[in-house]
Amino acid sequence: MLRMASSFPEEVLEHVFSFIYDDKDRNAISMVCKSWYEIERWCRRRIFVGNCYAVSPPMVIRRFPEVRSVELKGKPHFADFNLVPEGWGGYVYPWIAAMATAYPWLEEIRLKRMVVTDEALELIAKSFKNFKVLVLSSCEGFSTDGLAAIAANCRNLKELDLRESEVDDLSGHWLSHFPDSYTSLVSLNISCLGSEVSFSALERLVGRCPNLRTLRLNRAVPLDRLANILCRAPQLVELGTGTYSAELQPDVFSSLAGAFSGCKELRSLSGFWDAVPGYLPAIYPICPSLTSLNLSYATIQSTDLTKLVSQCQSLQRLWVLDYIEDIGLEALAAFCKDLRELRVFPSEPFAQEPNVSLTEQGLVSVSEGCPKLHSVLYFCRQMTNDALATIARNRPNMTRFRLCIIEPRAPDYITLQPLDDGFGAIVEHCKDLQRLSMAGLLTDRVFEHIGNHAKKLEMLSVAFAGDSDLGLHHVLSGCENLRKLEIRDCPFGDKALLVNAAKLETMRSLWMSSCSVSFGACKLLGQKIPRLNVEVMDERGPPGSRPESCPVEKLYIYRTVAGPRFDMPGFVWTMDEDSALRLS
Amino acid sequence: MAFQRDGDLNLEATELRLGPPGTTEEPEKQTHPTTTAKCNKRSLPDMNEESAGSRTNNSNVSNEKKHDRTSPPTKAQVVGWPPIRSYRKNCLQAKKMEAEAAGSGIYVKVSMDGAPYLRKIDLKVYKDYPELLKALEDMFKFKVGEYSEREGYNGSEFAPTYEDKDGDWMLVGDVPWDMFMNSCKRLRIMKGSEARGLSCAV
């Protein structure tokens, strides 16, 4: 084996490795022998760090000296729902500072749920001469001043995508910082910004960038300016409109319809804030070729929604509000046979009574009619075990299934039984299920089903479920591929965690909030397993000031080779050998 | 009447305020405004104890809620539930606030048994049931009597009723004001035996 490995010159091996992109494959290559490890690390160009605290910037730079593309994720997923207090962490600046010297040829930075400051953006703008791609997904901490620095300095920028980030929107003036000589824009997503950018600057920018494929505008762009923008970019493949509302005027309508017709490559639409039904027909000509439609901000009712989706025979992805109702989903099932992903969001999430006629039946219809459906996010107010079992039998190809019933612990509304068997059917039939989010009244039995059947499951989200530690034990001991587990408001305590402590090192992270894990157990875990960071979050004050048996508010456990972090706010404590001694 | 109860959550439920039904505006110890991403500095000892408690208690509560449809919505809003991103919530809220601020009224037809023609009123003009009933009394020159939850309207041959979203005829005053405003399609002031029948059936 050794002789074979060394009989190829390095250059040849490097050339072969350059065709391998997948991280897992590259990791496997690096484990073959020492020389392959060395060759591979010098030619790895792209790294993905799923938890920015699992490793430190110097460690990454030391191993991979020639990286061109970095992807980092910061806060735990439940931060999306305000469960992670402000100041928790996820700061990108230390990474940017380290990479500014180590990777002068860095081209791409993709961040998710991280705190990005204007200083970080300014540092990016001046450190990387060939910078091309900046994607800030659900990030926060920066203002439009930081964006101005990027626009002004990144001559080769191709992609600027701010999806769902929270930006301190000082003004729209930043867009005008793209110099007139700048023409390389391929993708721009400013849909999360509130303030108005200069429309003429926007139009000129769009007009001079011939490779522009993706343009997601923000709500402040009025409907009557959309036609002009589209006419300047007929090559667009993905468009996010601004406000889709205006007084019905025939000339505005006809220029809009004409502009849409001119965009022969358009495959994805989003935006549609405040959509008025009268302007929907403007997109009818391109509906048959649409593959992705995001109507989740459009407050149009089921009749208009039904008419719209019935024309989208090529649709693969639909995001929509529950205004679509069961009747609209039946039409979807009948006309959109290529549908792969469906997300239905609640229009009135806090209302106690249903405001629309959307029930479990809608999802059942789609599961029957759409053979390629494999990814579902569905908010509703009622569910039955039968419906779930039907969906499971219809769609054994399901890979991502997230159900949310608005009322926590809601039982099967017909039998009043827990939904254990329904979700049991899902994990039994859908053998490739990777992601599951459960809802309704659930006992330990559902976790038994999951532990027994969900062998490919990688991410599980649980809320208001289970009876005892046995539930958690089933999941931790049975789900071989589990990487991320997030739990809130479940009666899980110390036993299951301590018995399955070794499992935690095989996962990316575990989140538990409003459960019954004691401070004592957290200390024990932190002491016993060195390569885990056990972080306790408690806004009541130091956990050591309460009895050891007292449950902690929030617990975040993740594997790491970087040791405990030092950028924690006052309400986060790491349980490790040293701090455990300090706290007790 | 719902608005007459004091010192309990129903009072809040009948107040006119901006925002979707079922939300509270003021941050309180047990409830959590989830409309901005930055308001997470509250400690939640109550929440922890409640939710880490027995499942059976809570499942009974939710069963009760399903069966008792005339009970007003409970107000304890759970942090981060339902699991919706802040920017979505803000979007929906912003839309509602815009609609309400824009003055798009909720116009409903009002008929009275025996009256020759119908009237139309904007429900948004009134902030609670007493105001609405006074306006109806003035408009149709009648007296509505004393409301009680048990017996409906006592001391009058008239009973104010409304048709809700499901097409059912309900007695005005049973549900919180916000819920009434959102579900009322038309009003009818019933007279005589029909009115008495409805009141007694309550």
Side-chain angles (χ1 to χ4, degrees):
Chain A
M1 244 343 180
L2 259 174
R3 211 178 295 150
M4 271 186 69
S6 61
S7 68
F8 281 115
E10 265 185 40
E11 298 79 31
V12 175
L13 280 172
E14 201 177 305
H15 184 68
V16 172
F17 294 169
S18 70
F19 294 102
I20 314 288
Y21 301 110
D22 184 64
D23 275 346
K24 291 204 193 77
D25 293 337
R26 282 219 160 228
N27 290 345
I29 288 174
S30 68
M31 306 261 270
V32 167
C33 62
K34 280 208 173 106
S35 67
W36 280 37
Y37 177 94
E38 275 303 304
I39 298 167
E40 193 281 319
R41 78 181 187 89
W42 278 94
C43 69
R44 192 175 305 208
R45 296 283 174 261
R46 185 167 30 177
I47 53 165
F48 167 77
V49 182
N51 172 8
C52 64
Y53 291 118
V55 69
S56 71
M59 288 169 129
V60 172
I61 290 167
R62 198 162 44 234
R63 180 170 171 190
F64 302 113
E66 300 274 340
V67 163
R68 297 274 186 276
S69 161
V70 169
E71 184 174 347
L72 303 173
K73 294 190 179 180
K75 298 185 204 172
H77 173 236
F78 273 176
D80 285 357
F81 315 127
N82 296 0
L83 287 178
V84 177
E86 175 115 346
W88 174 85
Y91 305 105
V92 80
Y93 191 84
W95 287 86
I96 308 293
M99 296 190 300
T101 35
Y103 299 147
W105 299 110
L106 190 69
E107 294 178 6
E108 305 182 350
I109 295 176
R110 293 179 171 83
L111 306 174
K112 187 166 187 179
R113 283 190 212 101
M114 293 199 77
V115 177
V116 181
T117 56
D118 284 345
E119 289 74 37
L121 290 176
E122 282 152 21
L123 193 53
I124 291 173
K126 70 175 193 228
S127 310
F128 308 116
K129 299 297 168 217
N130 201 22
F131 195 66
K132 294 193 171 128
V133 172
L134 183 63
V135 178
L136 302 176
S137 175
S138 307
C139 294
E140 50 156 357
F142 61 101
S143 78
T144 40
D145 286 351
L147 297 178
I150 298 284
N153 295 295
C154 301
R155 301 289 158 86
N156 297 315
L157 192 71
K158 287 170 48 173
E159 214 177 303
L160 178 61
D161 185 338
L162 306 175
R163 58 179 81 154
E164 295 158 23
S165 290
E166 222 177 280
V167 184
D168 190 4
D169 212 329
L170 303 171
S171 87
H173 192 59
W174 68 274
L175 190 83
S176 310
H177 283 254
F178 281 113
D180 289 336
S181 54
Y182 169 73
T183 59
S184 43
L185 195 61
V186 173
S187 170
L188 181 67
N189 180 351
I190 55 168
S191 53
C192 62
L193 295 181
S195 59
E196 219 176 76
V197 297
S198 151
F199 301 136
S200 53
L202 179 61
E203 280 169 24
R204 277 181 282 118
L205 178 64
V206 168
R208 66 176 184 270
C209 295
N211 299 320
L212 191 65
R213 287 178 86 248
T214 300
L215 181 64
R216 307 260 188 217
L217 302 169
N218 63 340
R219 198 173 184 173
V221 177
L223 189 56
D224 54 16
R225 302 222 61 137
L226 187 57
N228 275 349
I229 294 172
L230 286 180
C231 288
R232 282 173 169 70
Q235 77 284 2
L236 271 183
V237 177
E238 303 184 320
L239 172 74
T241 73
T243 278
Y244 205 77
S245 162
E247 266 184 44
L248 279 173
Q249 284 169 341
D251 51 336
V252 174
F253 181 91
S254 55
S255 13
L256 189 60
F260 270 118
S261 301
C263 295
K264 307 278 183 220
E265 311 297 319
L266 211 44
R267 297 287 172 269
S268 164
L269 284 181
S270 62
F272 294 106
W273 283 283
D274 320 306
V276 293
Y279 276 104
L280 287 180
I283 65 168
Y284 285 175
I286 51 160
C287 279
S289 43
L290 285 181
T291 57
S292 170
L293 191 51
N294 182 352
L295 295 168
S296 61
Y297 299 106
T299 50
I300 43 182
Q301 306 298 310
S302 69
T303 334
D304 297 299
L305 282 171
T306 303
K307 224 190 314 184
L308 185 56
V309 301
S310 307
Q311 299 181 60
C312 301
Q313 299 92 354
S314 312
L315 205 59
Q316 295 180 15
R317 178 196 296 145
L318 177 66
W319 292 22
V320 73
L321 286 172
D322 56 9
Y323 289 129
I324 193 168
E325 300 191 319
D326 288 345
I327 196 167
L329 292 176
E330 275 160 35
L332 189 67
F335 291 101
C336 306
K337 294 304 188 183
D338 211 19
L339 195 72
R340 325 254 164 131
E341 178 182 327
L342 174 67
R343 295 195 191 189
V344 179
F345 297 96
S347 51
E348 299 215 0
F350 303 110
Q352 294 290 311
E353 296 297 317
N355 59 319
V356 290
S357 179
L358 179 105
T359 69
E360 76 278 11
Q361 190 47 51
L363 187 55
V364 171
S365 306
V366 183
S367 77
E368 269 162 14
C370 302
K372 297 196 192 158
L373 183 72
H374 69 87
S375 173
V376 167
L377 169 63
Y378 199 75
F379 282 83
C380 60
R381 286 187 158 85
Q382 64 185 46
M383 188 49 62
T384 64
N385 282 305
D386 272 350
L388 285 171
T390 306
I391 293 164
R393 281 190 307 269
N394 287 340
R395 296 273 61 80
N397 54 325
M398 191 73 71
T399 57
R400 307 167 91 77
F401 189 75
R402 293 193 278 167
L403 181 73
C404 178
I405 305 175
I406 301 282
E407 178 75 30
R409 303 193 183 89
D412 176 320
Y413 77 97
I414 294 182
T415 65
L416 300 182
Q417 293 301 301
L419 291 174
D420 297 337
D421 291 338
F423 281 102
I426 295 276
V427 293
E428 223 182 289
H429 290 271
C430 308
K431 302 207 189 297
D432 291 323
L433 195 69
Q434 284 180 296
R435 185 168 180 183
L436 177 65
S437 192
M438 304 194 290
L441 184 62
L442 298 163
T443 73
D444 282 347
R445 273 189 55 223
V446 74
F447 297 107
E448 200 183 336
H449 294 316
I450 292 175
N452 286 339
H453 295 284
K455 296 305 180 186
K456 297 273 178 69
L457 193 67
E458 296 181 12
M459 182 169 179
L460 178 65
S461 308
V462 185
F464 305 104
D467 310 310
S468 73
D469 271 57
L470 201 52
L472 181 56
H473 174 68
H474 284 308
V475 171
L476 289 176
S477 57
C479 297
E480 288 150 13
N481 281 295
L482 195 64
R483 292 189 299 114
K484 291 178 279 184
L485 179 57
E486 47 186 25
I487 301 173
R488 63 163 295 176
D489 294 277
C490 296
F492 299 148
D494 302 341
K495 283 197 238 98
L497 267 189
L498 293 173
V499 160
N500 292 286
K503 171 77 175 174
L504 298 177
E505 249 191 318
T506 70
M507 294 166 53
R508 182 188 294 177
S509 64
L510 167 67
W511 167 282
M512 291 179 75
S513 57
S514 306
C515 297
S516 310
V517 181
S518 73
F519 172 50
C522 295
K523 276 203 295 187
L524 203 55
L525 272 174
Q527 285 166 336
K528 293 297 179 202
I529 322 254
R531 285 188 306 189
L532 277 187
N533 275 357
V534 178
E535 292 183 10
V536 167
M537 254 174 277
D538 214 312
E539 289 181 288
R540 296 170 292 181
S545 62
R546 287 178 294 279
E548 287 223 346
S549 56
C550 192
V552 300
E553 271 180 3
K554 298 174 190 185
L555 175 62
Y556 185 52
I557 301 178
Y558 55 90
R559 68 176 173 187
T560 179
V561 291
R565 62 184 177 114
F566 297 106
D567 60 358
M568 299 176 300
F571 53 84
V572 179
W573 292 268
T574 301
M575 309 284 107
D576 60 7
E577 286 172 14
D578 301 333
S579 63
L581 285 168
R582 264 185 278 125
L583 285 167
S584 58
Chain B
M1 186 141 338
F3 63 85
Q4 279 173 346
R5 280 183 229 139
D6 278 327
D8 97 31
L9 299 168
N10 291 335
L11 187 60
E12 287 167 30
T14 58
E15 281 172 13
L16 182 67
R17 63 187 177 282
L18 299 176
T23 58
T24 53
E25 250 180 2
E26 264 92 58
E28 292 166 37
K29 206 147 63 81
Q30 303 99 298
T31 66
H32 229 265
T34 48
T35 52
T36 66
K38 296 196 194 298
C39 54
N40 290 305
K41 304 218 188 286
R42 251 152 244 104
S43 67
L44 305 165
D46 300 332
M47 276 320 241
N48 278 345
E49 276 138 26
E50 270 170 22
S51 27
S54 77
R55 167 194 70 86
T56 44
N57 272 344
N58 290 311
S59 67
N60 283 342
V61 167
S62 63
N63 280 342
E64 268 167 37
K65 279 215 212 109
K66 289 272 176 254
H67 291 133
D68 186 9
R69 288 198 188 282
T70 59
S71 70
T74 54
K75 281 298 157 285
Q77 198 180 43
V78 180
V79 185
W81 192 268
I84 305 175
R85 307 283 312 275
S86 310
Y87 66 86
R88 271 190 197 286
K89 279 187 282 208
N90 291 346
C91 229
L92 297 173
Q93 280 247 292
K95 233 213 103 66
K96 283 206 110 61
M97 285 166 76
E98 266 173 43
E100 289 180 6
S104 52
I106 304 177
Y107 282 93
V108 297
K109 286 185 191 166
V110 190
S111 64
M112 177 152 112
D113 291 354
Y117 54 83
L118 277 59
R119 302 297 303 270
K120 213 162 199 188
I121 57 169
D122 178 2
L123 288 180
K124 293 183 101 171
V125 163
Y126 312 102
K127 70 167 168 42
D128 54 20
Y129 284 119
E131 269 191 24
L132 170 66
L133 292 170
K134 177 87 176 49
L136 291 176
E137 283 177 332
D138 289 341
M139 198 181 264
F140 288 94
K141 311 278 178 287
F142 73 108
K143 282 276 170 241
V144 88
E146 206 48 56
Y147 175 91
S148 75
E149 210 196 24
R150 228 165 41 84
E151 292 173 13
Y153 290 88
N154 253 333
S156 161
E157 59 173 330
F158 296 97
T161 67
Y162 70 99
E163 186 183 20
D164 73 359
K165 278 184 184 166
D166 301 324
D168 298 319
W169 285 94
M170 317 284 294
L171 190 69
V172 168
D174 280 343
V175 301
W177 178 253
D178 267 3
M179 193 189 271
F180 165 75
M181 276 231 291
N182 282 325
S183 56
C184 172
K185 279 175 40 193
R186 54 188 300 170
L187 284 158
R188 176 184 161 198
I189 301 167
M190 285 186 188
K191 187 178 167 185
S193 56
E194 258 195 279
R196 273 196 297 281
L198 192 64
S199 304
C200 292
V202 168

